[in-house]
Amino acid sequence: MREGLILTTQDQQRIEVLARWVAGAVTPAEAAALLGRSERTAWRLRARFLAEGVPGLVHGNRGRPSPRRLPAVTTERIVALARERYAGANDCHLAELLAAEEGIAIGRSTLRRLLRDAGLPSPRHRRAPRYRSRRERMAQAGLLVQLDGSPHDWLEGRGPRLTLLGAIDDATGLVVAATFRDHEDGAGYLELLSAMCTCHGIPAAVYRDHSGIFAPNLPEGRPRDDATQVGRAFTELGIVSIAASSPQAKGRIERLWGTLQDRLVIALRLAGACDRESANGVLAGFLPGFNARFGVPAALEPPAWRPIPPGLDLGRVCAFRYRRMVGNDNTVRLEGAVLQLPAVAGGRSLAGRRVELELRLDGQLLVRLEGRTLLAVPAPPDPARLRDIRCTAPRGPAPAQAPGRPGYPPPVTHPWRRPGPKAPSRLTGSLSRRADRVGEQ
């Protein structure tokens, strides 16, 4: 037996099986089955065992140094360069530097093994992964709905880059609402909420991220007095809004995006969708089959979806609402739009009163005062805008003017800037005319 020969567990099992075979305790077929080899290979192992003994079962190169190993001088040079000249470089970068600057071609894995054997750790310190346990699904449908958005090249370059907003039920895994938007915005989530409440009902709680769309991101310790439009809608519908502490916490909808980016992209490609409207049309036909394929039954029945209360205007809840003060001319403004309000009963003015502007998802703009909807019409243009309108057509191309008051400052060729006597002022002219009348008398 060769000196320093190390036998593995597989080698020891082979020796035991071959010894029993030589002793006649097992048949050749049984020995081949125990060795996990064909009967022909088993006979070859038996012949080597009888001719050479135990060393015949071990590969001849075991325990010998590799003929392709790096020379000891090169290894020492690499370790010295890693400690001094290239100190702090990571393994991949160090392999690139050695090939470009020192002419030493070495693989990253080989370099990593050499450095660790020499006691050089990686310059990057990685934190140990946090412990995470699998959370049980909610028992009833409608107890918890996860909300999120996924920006992705859904149209594969055939159209603009879109963001898919979705809501998935935690108990059943059903996509209860989804829509394509240009960006992740409050209008998209209000549209999502309206569709979900109309088709399924009002959920007990929603699970979302820390986006400012759901709640204002204020420093710690400050009161969260002002709510966002989406947060206000949750409050009016009695929905508890829970912020996830990490993306892994809402892993159900995060995994949904990976599945949709595999399957929905192909459906959009086959349908030839090239804009947001056509993509939403494909999405509406895609979701029923998707839910039938991946949905699971809830643990308990019946579902926990709450019906919309009678008399609740869902369109008003899922709308943008702003408080504005009425101006002295009985107008209110919202993002450049100016609305003229009529007089109330008795011809009284609304100047100084606070009204609520309600911008619905369908584009309607309503003005409400103490629960009443006021008849508002577009206001006439401001006088300042009318002054900017030129009634006569200019002669020739108009000179370029800087932004500001039109025509000012006057050009150098203006009569006011020409040298010579200036025109008499209005006061001087009136005094001259008065003196002429006195002379005539």
Side-chain angles (χ1 to χ4, degrees), residues 149-432:
S150 173
H152 183 67
D153 188 13
W154 296 97
L155 302 180
E156 299 178 308
R158 298 185 306 274
R161 186 179 179 89
L162 301 176
T163 298
L164 178 61
L165 305 184
I168 185 173
D169 180 64
D170 187 79
T172 62
L174 298 178
V175 182
V176 294
T179 182
F180 279 109
R181 301 287 298 179
D182 295 333
H183 306 283
E184 188 175 3
D185 54 0
Y189 281 109
L190 289 176
E191 180 182 344
L192 207 70
L193 180 62
S194 177
M196 176 176 58
C197 294
T198 303
C199 299
H200 300 273
I202 303 175
V206 294
Y207 208 40
R208 44 83 178 179
D209 55 19
H210 286 267
S211 172
I213 298 175
F214 302 103
N217 295 318
L218 301 179
E220 295 295 335
R222 285 189 55 186
R224 305 170 76 99
D225 299 329
D226 52 337
T228 63
Q229 298 288 343
V230 180
R232 172 196 51 76
F234 288 158
T235 303
E236 293 182 359
L237 292 174
I239 301 174
V240 179
S241 179
I242 306 173
S245 57
S246 65
Q248 291 81 1
K250 51 184 182 64
R252 202 169 312 285
I253 195 167
E254 296 291 348
R255 289 188 295 271
L256 171 68
W257 300 137
T259 307
L260 290 179
Q261 288 172 9
D262 286 340
R263 294 172 175 260
L264 181 56
V265 166
I266 297 178
L268 294 170
R269 183 198 311 157
L270 295 178
C274 57
D275 54 15
R276 195 179 79 179
E277 290 72 16
S278 58
N280 278 321
V282 175
L283 179 64
F286 173 84
L287 287 181
F290 183 85
N291 288 334
R293 170 67 177 82
F294 294 99
V296 298
L300 297 179
E301 293 289 343
W305 298 101
R306 292 182 289 115
I308 300 176
L312 178 67
D313 187 0
L314 188 61
R316 170 172 167 77
V317 174
C318 298
F320 291 89
R321 306 214 301 258
Y322 309 93
R323 300 284 294 176
R324 292 292 186 269
M325 180 176 291
V326 182
N328 292 333
D329 54 354
N330 286 274
T331 59
V332 289
R333 300 172 181 270
L334 178 64
E335 297 182 359
V338 184
L339 298 179
Q340 183 72 56
L341 303 182
V344 295
R348 290 176 298 173
S349 173
L350 294 175
R353 301 282 297 273
R354 286 196 173 272
V355 296
E356 185 182 66
L357 300 185
E358 179 181 315
L359 180 59
R360 300 208 171 193
L361 297 178
D362 57 1
Q364 288 184 335
L365 181 58
L366 306 178
V367 182
R368 294 183 178 272
L369 174 64
E370 298 176 355
R372 295 178 296 128
T373 302
L374 303 179
L375 178 62
V377 297
D382 294 339
R385 296 184 179 180
L386 293 177
R387 293 190 190 100
D388 294 339
I389 301 177
R390 298 300 180 185
C391 299
T392 58
R395 297 180 180 178
Q401 298 178 352
R405 185 176 175 184
Y408 283 84
V412 294
T413 57
H414 197 275
W416 293 353
R417 296 195 174 187
R418 293 177 183 174
K422 297 184 178 180
S425 64
R426 184 180 301 177
L427 179 61
T428 305
S430 61
L431 292 177
S432 300

Side-chain angles (χ1 to χ4, degrees), residues 18 21 38-49 57:
L18 291 173
W21 185 9
S38 65
E39 191 170 339
R40 184 175 181 179
T41 304
W43 279 102
R44 290 178 178 175
L45 291 176
R46 185 177 185 272
R48 288 165 52 185
F49 178 68
L57 302 179

